[in-house]
Amino acid sequence: MSTGSISRTPICKLNDRELPYLYIKRDDLIPYCFGGNKARKAQLFFEEIDNGDYDTVVTYGSSHSNHCRIVANMAAARNMDCILISPTEVSDNTYNSIMMDLFGAKLITVPVNEVHDTIENTIAKLKDKGHKPYFIPGGGHGNIGTRAYVQCFDEILDYEKENDIKFDYIFFASGTGTTHAGLVCGQLIHKTCHNIIGISIARKNPRGRDVVLESIYDYLNESKISYDPEDVQNKTVFIDDYTGDGYGADSEMISQIIQKSLISYGVALDSTYTGKAFSGMLDYVKKNKLENKRILFIHTGGTPLFFDDLNKWRRK
Ligand SMILES: *Cc1c(COP(=O)(O)O)cnc(C)c1O
């Protein structure tokens, strides 16, 4: 069964008193298993899987992983085996991990420093037994993941043309880097002058930004697109001021932003990704006096994580 191709996700204006030109692109509404950027990426990985004779999908992620939830669903829908390699350090129960179980994914939990070898051994063993495994890097990393967000950037340009608007700034949560890389590659391909600002949810500079740059160069080289390295450097803005404790941080301020977003816009954010990025964006806008700029926030999904947060606020 095919998941079908993703039609363009909506861009909506948020009614915000302080930010009159704040828009949101709802990638959380991609119509597959609570959507999100991992659904946009996995869709392309599964196009490749469907064109091969693979019988098992292997990937990596924690019990909180939106990527693992989506991949496990897409594999289950095809009656394919799915093996998730997962770090012991983040293995508590979440709505995502409950769904991974429901999809029948096989979980291999090992300490994070054994993940690399476990992936290699698992794939080697499967091949020995005559299986045809397909490996998807954690978070949907790699050129396929980057391509998904080049396509998202194309959607943004289409929206701008049709609605006679130009966004000055594009903000989003930057994690493993290909969402960020895809948007910057889209910009380099179309030579636009948007300010693309990735708000890091965990990694610090310079490593966090270097990983994004690596993904950009990989994609441009593979696609044989010529570039000016200085231009690439200038366009890759990775802000690491809002990481808090990294994955799973839950500061009081982020909780408040999540509640405000739900109340004021009816939009659910989570404390690991979109809540952190949205709250970082608001602070960045204030500090740089961008209140009257045209701003687009990309909602990268993670709705099941919103419900994990909501559970913590349950009345005792
Ligand atoms: C994974 C994820 C991100 C980060 O995307 P990357 O491409 O890994 O940088 C942002 N938001 C949500 C909800 C995610 O699940």
mmCIF file of all heavy atoms in Angstrom, residues 35-38 41 64-67 69 96 138-141 145 149 172-181 201 203 212 238 247 270 272-274 277 298-303 305, ligand 1:
data_model
loop_
_atom_site.group_PDB
_atom_site.id
_atom_site.type_symbol
_atom_site.label_atom_id
_atom_site.label_comp_id
_atom_site.label_asym_id
_atom_site.label_seq_id
_atom_site.Cartn_x
_atom_site.Cartn_y
_atom_site.Cartn_z
ATOM 1 N N GLY A 35 1.748 13.189 11.181
ATOM 2 C CA GLY A 35 2.564 14.051 10.335
ATOM 3 C C GLY A 35 3.925 14.418 10.880
ATOM 4 O O GLY A 35 4.569 13.648 11.583
ATOM 5 N N GLY A 36 4.370 15.616 10.510
ATOM 6 C CA GLY A 36 5.662 16.117 10.955
ATOM 7 C C GLY A 36 6.757 15.937 9.916
ATOM 8 O O GLY A 36 6.562 15.293 8.882
ATOM 9 N N ASN A 37 7.906 16.537 10.207
ATOM 10 C CA ASN A 37 8.997 16.492 9.217
ATOM 11 C C ASN A 37 9.474 15.061 8.973
ATOM 12 O O ASN A 37 9.954 14.746 7.888
ATOM 13 C CB ASN A 37 10.145 17.445 9.595
ATOM 14 C CG ASN A 37 10.837 17.080 10.897
ATOM 15 O OD1 ASN A 37 10.360 16.250 11.671
ATOM 16 N ND2 ASN A 37 11.979 17.711 11.154
ATOM 17 N N LYS A 38 9.330 14.177 9.974
ATOM 18 C CA LYS A 38 9.757 12.793 9.772
ATOM 19 C C LYS A 38 8.848 12.067 8.777
ATOM 20 O O LYS A 38 9.287 11.154 8.093
ATOM 21 C CB LYS A 38 9.817 12.048 11.101
ATOM 22 C CG LYS A 38 10.727 12.680 12.147
ATOM 23 C CD LYS A 38 12.076 13.117 11.579
ATOM 24 C CE LYS A 38 13.026 13.650 12.632
ATOM 25 N NZ LYS A 38 12.536 14.814 13.394
ATOM 26 N N LYS A 41 10.042 13.236 5.323
ATOM 27 C CA LYS A 41 11.269 12.545 4.920
ATOM 28 C C LYS A 41 11.005 11.061 4.638
ATOM 29 O O LYS A 41 11.465 10.527 3.623
ATOM 30 C CB LYS A 41 12.322 12.648 6.033
ATOM 31 C CG LYS A 41 12.786 14.071 6.376
ATOM 32 C CD LYS A 41 13.909 13.986 7.407
ATOM 33 C CE LYS A 41 14.084 15.254 8.216
ATOM 34 N NZ LYS A 41 15.273 15.188 9.076
ATOM 35 N N HIS A 64 11.278 8.446 22.364
ATOM 36 C CA HIS A 64 10.532 9.683 22.094
ATOM 37 C C HIS A 64 10.461 9.982 20.596
ATOM 38 O O HIS A 64 9.845 10.951 20.191
ATOM 39 C CB HIS A 64 11.222 10.883 22.765
ATOM 40 C CG HIS A 64 11.223 10.830 24.257
ATOM 41 N ND1 HIS A 64 10.846 11.889 25.047
ATOM 42 C CD2 HIS A 64 11.546 9.838 25.122
ATOM 43 C CE1 HIS A 64 10.948 11.560 26.330
ATOM 44 N NE2 HIS A 64 11.381 10.326 26.392
ATOM 45 N N SER A 65 11.122 9.162 19.803
ATOM 46 C CA SER A 65 11.392 9.524 18.408
ATOM 47 C C SER A 65 10.146 9.571 17.519
ATOM 48 O O SER A 65 9.436 8.565 17.350
ATOM 49 C CB SER A 65 12.396 8.523 17.837
ATOM 50 O OG SER A 65 12.521 8.682 16.451
ATOM 51 N N ASN A 66 9.906 10.728 16.927
ATOM 52 C CA ASN A 66 8.835 10.849 15.929
ATOM 53 C C ASN A 66 9.190 10.056 14.681
ATOM 54 O O ASN A 66 8.328 9.468 14.035
ATOM 55 C CB ASN A 66 8.627 12.325 15.557
ATOM 56 C CG ASN A 66 8.143 13.143 16.742
ATOM 57 O OD1 ASN A 66 7.207 12.749 17.425
ATOM 58 N ND2 ASN A 66 8.792 14.282 16.993
ATOM 59 N N HIS A 67 10.483 10.064 14.355
ATOM 60 C CA HIS A 67 10.984 9.323 13.193
ATOM 61 C C HIS A 67 10.668 7.830 13.323
ATOM 62 O O HIS A 67 10.141 7.218 12.388
ATOM 63 C CB HIS A 67 12.492 9.572 13.085
ATOM 64 C CG HIS A 67 13.202 8.660 12.151
ATOM 65 N ND1 HIS A 67 13.081 8.762 10.780
ATOM 66 C CD2 HIS A 67 14.039 7.612 12.376
ATOM 67 C CE1 HIS A 67 13.825 7.825 10.208
ATOM 68 N NE2 HIS A 67 14.408 7.115 11.148
ATOM 69 N N ARG A 69 8.406 6.334 15.152
ATOM 70 C CA ARG A 69 6.955 6.103 15.080
ATOM 71 C C ARG A 69 6.493 6.013 13.632
ATOM 72 O O ARG A 69 5.798 5.075 13.234
ATOM 73 C CB ARG A 69 6.211 7.243 15.790
ATOM 74 C CG ARG A 69 4.690 7.156 15.665
ATOM 75 C CD ARG A 69 4.015 8.447 16.107
ATOM 76 N NE ARG A 69 3.960 9.450 15.064
ATOM 77 C CZ ARG A 69 4.536 10.643 15.101
ATOM 78 N NH1 ARG A 69 5.253 11.010 16.142
ATOM 79 N NH2 ARG A 69 4.424 11.472 14.092
ATOM 80 N N ASN A 96 4.718 7.958 21.567
ATOM 81 C CA ASN A 96 5.425 7.438 20.395
ATOM 82 C C ASN A 96 5.840 5.985 20.594
ATOM 83 O O ASN A 96 5.664 5.146 19.711
ATOM 84 C CB ASN A 96 6.662 8.299 20.085
ATOM 85 C CG ASN A 96 6.319 9.536 19.270
ATOM 86 O OD1 ASN A 96 5.327 9.554 18.543
ATOM 87 N ND2 ASN A 96 7.134 10.583 19.392
ATOM 88 N N GLY A 138 19.113 7.585 11.551
ATOM 89 C CA GLY A 138 18.288 8.220 12.589
ATOM 90 C C GLY A 138 17.818 9.602 12.153
ATOM 91 O O GLY A 138 18.577 10.358 11.551
ATOM 92 N N GLY A 139 16.560 9.908 12.429
ATOM 93 C CA GLY A 139 16.015 11.223 12.075
ATOM 94 C C GLY A 139 15.775 11.404 10.587
ATOM 95 O O GLY A 139 15.398 12.479 10.142
ATOM 96 N N GLY A 140 15.999 10.345 9.788
ATOM 97 C CA GLY A 140 15.856 10.474 8.333
ATOM 98 C C GLY A 140 16.974 11.321 7.754
ATOM 99 O O GLY A 140 16.785 12.124 6.851
ATOM 100 N N HIS A 141 18.196 11.113 8.320
ATOM 101 C CA HIS A 141 19.359 11.891 7.891
ATOM 102 C C HIS A 141 19.804 11.448 6.495
ATOM 103 O O HIS A 141 19.460 10.370 6.046
ATOM 104 C CB HIS A 141 20.491 11.669 8.899
ATOM 105 C CG HIS A 141 21.481 12.795 8.916
ATOM 106 N ND1 HIS A 141 21.154 14.062 9.375
ATOM 107 C CD2 HIS A 141 22.772 12.863 8.516
ATOM 108 C CE1 HIS A 141 22.217 14.838 9.262
ATOM 109 N NE2 HIS A 141 23.204 14.150 8.744
ATOM 110 N N GLY A 145 16.580 12.815 3.080
ATOM 111 C CA GLY A 145 15.928 13.694 4.056
ATOM 112 C C GLY A 145 16.065 15.150 3.665
ATOM 113 O O GLY A 145 15.119 15.949 3.791
ATOM 114 N N TYR A 149 13.115 18.519 2.341
ATOM 115 C CA TYR A 149 12.955 19.932 2.727
ATOM 116 C C TYR A 149 13.333 20.920 1.628
ATOM 117 O O TYR A 149 12.935 22.093 1.702
ATOM 118 C CB TYR A 149 13.565 20.206 4.112
ATOM 119 C CG TYR A 149 12.455 19.896 5.085
ATOM 120 C CD1 TYR A 149 12.203 18.582 5.463
ATOM 121 C CD2 TYR A 149 11.552 20.882 5.458
ATOM 122 C CE1 TYR A 149 11.085 18.259 6.232
ATOM 123 C CE2 TYR A 149 10.443 20.575 6.222
ATOM 124 C CZ TYR A 149 10.212 19.275 6.609
ATOM 125 O OH TYR A 149 9.098 18.974 7.343
ATOM 126 N N PHE A 172 12.470 27.505 12.491
ATOM 127 C CA PHE A 172 12.046 26.102 12.701
ATOM 128 C C PHE A 172 13.016 25.467 13.700
ATOM 129 O O PHE A 172 14.099 26.010 13.958
ATOM 130 C CB PHE A 172 12.105 25.319 11.373
ATOM 131 C CG PHE A 172 13.434 25.463 10.716
ATOM 132 C CD1 PHE A 172 14.453 24.554 10.959
ATOM 133 C CD2 PHE A 172 13.707 26.571 9.939
ATOM 134 C CE1 PHE A 172 15.708 24.743 10.417
ATOM 135 C CE2 PHE A 172 14.967 26.768 9.401
ATOM 136 C CZ PHE A 172 15.963 25.858 9.629
ATOM 137 N N ALA A 173 12.643 24.310 14.217
ATOM 138 C CA ALA A 173 13.490 23.550 15.137
ATOM 139 C C ALA A 173 14.526 22.760 14.351
ATOM 140 O O ALA A 173 14.178 22.009 13.443
ATOM 141 C CB ALA A 173 12.633 22.587 15.952
ATOM 142 N N SER A 174 15.806 22.955 14.682
ATOM 143 C CA SER A 174 16.875 22.240 13.988
ATOM 144 C C SER A 174 17.471 21.183 14.920
ATOM 145 O O SER A 174 17.901 21.502 16.022
ATOM 146 C CB SER A 174 17.954 23.241 13.543
ATOM 147 O OG SER A 174 18.881 22.629 12.679
ATOM 148 N N GLY A 175 17.454 19.919 14.482
ATOM 149 C CA GLY A 175 17.942 18.826 15.333
ATOM 150 C C GLY A 175 19.093 18.090 14.690
ATOM 151 O O GLY A 175 20.250 18.457 14.857
ATOM 152 N N THR A 176 18.780 17.050 13.894
ATOM 153 C CA THR A 176 19.839 16.295 13.217
ATOM 154 C C THR A 176 20.275 16.979 11.923
ATOM 155 O O THR A 176 21.252 16.573 11.321
ATOM 156 C CB THR A 176 19.403 14.847 12.919
ATOM 157 O OG1 THR A 176 18.242 14.865 12.086
ATOM 158 C CG2 THR A 176 19.074 14.117 14.209
ATOM 159 N N GLY A 177 19.521 17.985 11.481
ATOM 160 C CA GLY A 177 20.066 18.908 10.491
ATOM 161 C C GLY A 177 19.543 18.888 9.068
ATOM 162 O O GLY A 177 19.784 19.834 8.332
ATOM 163 N N THR A 178 18.817 17.840 8.641
ATOM 164 C CA THR A 178 18.453 17.836 7.220
ATOM 165 C C THR A 178 17.231 18.704 6.907
ATOM 166 O O THR A 178 17.077 19.149 5.772
ATOM 167 C CB THR A 178 18.241 16.410 6.657
ATOM 168 O OG1 THR A 178 17.384 15.687 7.520
ATOM 169 C CG2 THR A 178 19.566 15.703 6.525
ATOM 170 N N THR A 179 16.386 18.965 7.905
ATOM 171 C CA THR A 179 15.308 19.939 7.678
ATOM 172 C C THR A 179 15.958 21.284 7.336
ATOM 173 O O THR A 179 15.618 21.925 6.335
ATOM 174 C CB THR A 179 14.437 20.076 8.946
ATOM 175 O OG1 THR A 179 13.848 18.808 9.217
ATOM 176 C CG2 THR A 179 13.357 21.132 8.771
ATOM 177 N N HIS A 180 16.916 21.667 8.158
ATOM 178 C CA HIS A 180 17.658 22.911 7.985
ATOM 179 C C HIS A 180 18.400 22.915 6.645
ATOM 180 O O HIS A 180 18.297 23.863 5.851
ATOM 181 C CB HIS A 180 18.632 23.027 9.165
ATOM 182 C CG HIS A 180 19.206 24.388 9.353
ATOM 183 N ND1 HIS A 180 19.802 24.770 10.516
ATOM 184 C CD2 HIS A 180 19.294 25.457 8.527
ATOM 185 C CE1 HIS A 180 20.223 26.028 10.405
ATOM 186 N NE2 HIS A 180 19.940 26.452 9.203
ATOM 187 N N ALA A 181 19.124 21.821 6.381
ATOM 188 C CA ALA A 181 19.929 21.735 5.149
ATOM 189 C C ALA A 181 19.045 21.850 3.912
ATOM 190 O O ALA A 181 19.398 22.545 2.949
ATOM 191 C CB ALA A 181 20.709 20.422 5.125
ATOM 192 N N ILE A 201 17.675 22.593 18.970
ATOM 193 C CA ILE A 201 16.942 22.054 20.112
ATOM 194 C C ILE A 201 17.881 21.254 21.033
ATOM 195 O O ILE A 201 17.484 20.866 22.127
ATOM 196 C CB ILE A 201 15.729 21.219 19.661
ATOM 197 C CG1 ILE A 201 16.140 20.149 18.651
ATOM 198 C CG2 ILE A 201 14.682 22.090 19.012
ATOM 199 C CD1 ILE A 201 16.452 18.878 19.261
ATOM 200 N N ARG A 203 21.929 20.506 19.964
ATOM 201 C CA ARG A 203 23.360 20.623 19.682
ATOM 202 C C ARG A 203 23.855 22.055 19.830
ATOM 203 O O ARG A 203 23.110 23.005 19.634
ATOM 204 C CB ARG A 203 23.658 20.137 18.264
ATOM 205 C CG ARG A 203 23.522 18.633 18.159
ATOM 206 C CD ARG A 203 23.755 18.160 16.749
ATOM 207 N NE ARG A 203 23.620 16.709 16.684
ATOM 208 C CZ ARG A 203 23.361 16.025 15.575
ATOM 209 N NH1 ARG A 203 23.221 16.643 14.431
ATOM 210 N NH2 ARG A 203 23.249 14.714 15.620
ATOM 211 N N VAL A 212 24.946 20.570 9.835
ATOM 212 C CA VAL A 212 24.032 21.120 8.832
ATOM 213 C C VAL A 212 24.809 21.413 7.545
ATOM 214 O O VAL A 212 24.388 21.041 6.440
ATOM 215 C CB VAL A 212 23.338 22.401 9.351
ATOM 216 C CG1 VAL A 212 22.465 23.027 8.270
ATOM 217 C CG2 VAL A 212 22.513 22.104 10.601
ATOM 218 N N PHE A 238 22.591 28.966 12.604
ATOM 219 C CA PHE A 238 22.212 27.938 13.570
ATOM 220 C C PHE A 238 22.323 28.550 14.961
ATOM 221 O O PHE A 238 23.414 28.813 15.456
ATOM 222 C CB PHE A 238 23.180 26.760 13.406
ATOM 223 C CG PHE A 238 22.894 25.553 14.257
ATOM 224 C CD1 PHE A 238 21.986 24.593 13.844
ATOM 225 C CD2 PHE A 238 23.567 25.353 15.453
ATOM 226 C CE1 PHE A 238 21.738 23.460 14.615
ATOM 227 C CE2 PHE A 238 23.327 24.223 16.234
ATOM 228 C CZ PHE A 238 22.416 23.285 15.807
ATOM 229 N N TYR A 247 17.504 17.569 24.396
ATOM 230 C CA TYR A 247 16.283 16.794 24.150
ATOM 231 C C TYR A 247 15.519 16.628 25.457
ATOM 232 O O TYR A 247 16.086 16.266 26.479
ATOM 233 C CB TYR A 247 16.630 15.427 23.574
ATOM 234 C CG TYR A 247 17.025 15.482 22.116
ATOM 235 C CD1 TYR A 247 18.341 15.671 21.733
ATOM 236 C CD2 TYR A 247 16.067 15.336 21.111
ATOM 237 C CE1 TYR A 247 18.710 15.717 20.394
ATOM 238 C CE2 TYR A 247 16.418 15.381 19.778
ATOM 239 C CZ TYR A 247 17.738 15.579 19.419
ATOM 240 O OH TYR A 247 18.095 15.625 18.100
ATOM 241 N N ASP A 270 5.311 21.114 21.319
ATOM 242 C CA ASP A 270 5.826 20.198 22.343
ATOM 243 C C ASP A 270 7.097 20.771 22.957
ATOM 244 O O ASP A 270 7.708 21.684 22.400
ATOM 245 C CB ASP A 270 6.122 18.827 21.727
ATOM 246 C CG ASP A 270 7.397 18.862 20.912
ATOM 247 O OD1 ASP A 270 8.475 18.614 21.479
ATOM 248 O OD2 ASP A 270 7.340 19.191 19.711
ATOM 249 N N THR A 272 10.086 19.410 23.424
ATOM 250 C CA THR A 272 11.395 18.993 22.898
ATOM 251 C C THR A 272 11.771 19.757 21.628
ATOM 252 O O THR A 272 12.932 20.130 21.453
ATOM 253 C CB THR A 272 11.389 17.483 22.574
ATOM 254 O OG1 THR A 272 10.970 16.772 23.736
ATOM 255 C CG2 THR A 272 12.771 17.007 22.166
ATOM 256 N N TYR A 273 10.802 19.977 20.755
ATOM 257 C CA TYR A 273 11.120 20.561 19.446
ATOM 258 C C TYR A 273 10.412 21.898 19.199
ATOM 259 O O TYR A 273 11.009 22.963 19.318
ATOM 260 C CB TYR A 273 10.747 19.587 18.325
ATOM 261 C CG TYR A 273 11.514 18.294 18.329
ATOM 262 C CD1 TYR A 273 10.949 17.115 18.817
ATOM 263 C CD2 TYR A 273 12.813 18.233 17.826
ATOM 264 C CE1 TYR A 273 11.655 15.931 18.807
ATOM 265 C CE2 TYR A 273 13.516 17.045 17.815
ATOM 266 C CZ TYR A 273 12.939 15.895 18.308
ATOM 267 O OH TYR A 273 13.630 14.724 18.301
ATOM 268 N N THR A 274 9.143 21.810 18.846
ATOM 269 C CA THR A 274 8.489 23.009 18.319
ATOM 270 C C THR A 274 8.266 24.081 19.384
ATOM 271 O O THR A 274 8.346 25.270 19.080
ATOM 272 C CB THR A 274 7.142 22.655 17.649
ATOM 273 O OG1 THR A 274 6.352 21.903 18.587
ATOM 274 C CG2 THR A 274 7.357 21.817 16.405
ATOM 275 N N ALA A 277 11.591 25.801 19.779
ATOM 276 C CA ALA A 277 11.910 26.629 18.611
ATOM 277 C C ALA A 277 11.019 27.866 18.573
ATOM 278 O O ALA A 277 11.477 28.974 18.271
ATOM 279 C CB ALA A 277 11.745 25.824 17.324
ATOM 280 N N ILE A 298 7.940 27.152 10.712
ATOM 281 C CA ILE A 298 7.559 25.833 10.191
ATOM 282 C C ILE A 298 7.279 24.904 11.376
ATOM 283 O O ILE A 298 8.167 24.651 12.203
ATOM 284 C CB ILE A 298 8.659 25.229 9.290
ATOM 285 C CG1 ILE A 298 8.955 26.189 8.130
ATOM 286 C CG2 ILE A 298 8.218 23.859 8.768
ATOM 287 C CD1 ILE A 298 10.067 25.703 7.208
ATOM 288 N N HIS A 299 6.045 24.450 11.473
ATOM 289 C CA HIS A 299 5.668 23.495 12.529
ATOM 290 C C HIS A 299 6.097 22.110 12.051
ATOM 291 O O HIS A 299 5.492 21.548 11.141
ATOM 292 C CB HIS A 299 4.156 23.554 12.768
ATOM 293 C CG HIS A 299 3.730 22.813 14.009
ATOM 294 N ND1 HIS A 299 4.236 21.571 14.336
ATOM 295 C CD2 HIS A 299 2.866 23.144 14.991
ATOM 296 C CE1 HIS A 299 3.681 21.170 15.485
ATOM 297 N NE2 HIS A 299 2.852 22.120 15.898
ATOM 298 N N THR A 300 7.148 21.583 12.677
ATOM 299 C CA THR A 300 7.743 20.332 12.194
ATOM 300 C C THR A 300 7.121 19.080 12.812
ATOM 301 O O THR A 300 7.639 17.978 12.645
ATOM 302 C CB THR A 300 9.261 20.353 12.466
ATOM 303 O OG1 THR A 300 9.471 20.837 13.808
ATOM 304 C CG2 THR A 300 9.993 21.257 11.487
ATOM 305 N N GLY A 301 6.004 19.239 13.542
ATOM 306 C CA GLY A 301 5.277 18.057 14.022
ATOM 307 C C GLY A 301 5.564 17.704 15.471
ATOM 308 O O GLY A 301 5.841 18.580 16.292
ATOM 309 N N GLY A 302 5.487 16.425 15.773
ATOM 310 C CA GLY A 302 5.722 15.970 17.147
ATOM 311 C C GLY A 302 4.484 16.009 18.022
ATOM 312 O O GLY A 302 4.575 16.089 19.246
ATOM 313 N N THR A 303 3.312 15.926 17.399
ATOM 314 C CA THR A 303 2.069 16.016 18.168
ATOM 315 C C THR A 303 1.970 14.978 19.302
ATOM 316 O O THR A 303 1.532 15.328 20.399
ATOM 317 C CB THR A 303 0.855 15.936 17.217
ATOM 318 O OG1 THR A 303 0.961 17.035 16.304
ATOM 319 C CG2 THR A 303 -0.462 16.029 17.963
ATOM 320 N N LEU A 305 4.240 14.009 21.220
ATOM 321 C CA LEU A 305 5.028 14.551 22.335
ATOM 322 C C LEU A 305 4.241 15.629 23.081
ATOM 323 O O LEU A 305 4.408 15.811 24.283
ATOM 324 C CB LEU A 305 6.360 15.130 21.835
ATOM 325 C CG LEU A 305 7.320 14.167 21.138
ATOM 326 C CD1 LEU A 305 8.535 14.925 20.600
ATOM 327 C CD2 LEU A 305 7.769 13.064 22.084
HETATM 328 C C1 LIG B 1 13.208 15.563 14.306
HETATM 329 C C2 LIG B 1 12.410 16.766 14.555
HETATM 330 C C3 LIG B 1 12.937 18.043 14.336
HETATM 331 C C4 LIG B 1 14.342 18.293 13.864
HETATM 332 O O1 LIG B 1 14.467 17.930 12.514
HETATM 333 P P1 LIG B 1 15.904 17.587 11.933
HETATM 334 O O2 LIG B 1 15.704 17.385 10.484
HETATM 335 O O3 LIG B 1 16.354 16.350 12.656
HETATM 336 O O4 LIG B 1 16.803 18.735 12.229
HETATM 337 C C5 LIG B 1 12.119 19.136 14.562
HETATM 338 N N1 LIG B 1 10.859 18.980 14.999
HETATM 339 C C6 LIG B 1 10.315 17.764 15.227
HETATM 340 C C7 LIG B 1 8.937 17.691 15.746
HETATM 341 C C8 LIG B 1 11.073 16.609 15.018
HETATM 342 O O5 LIG B 1 10.542 15.410 15.247
#
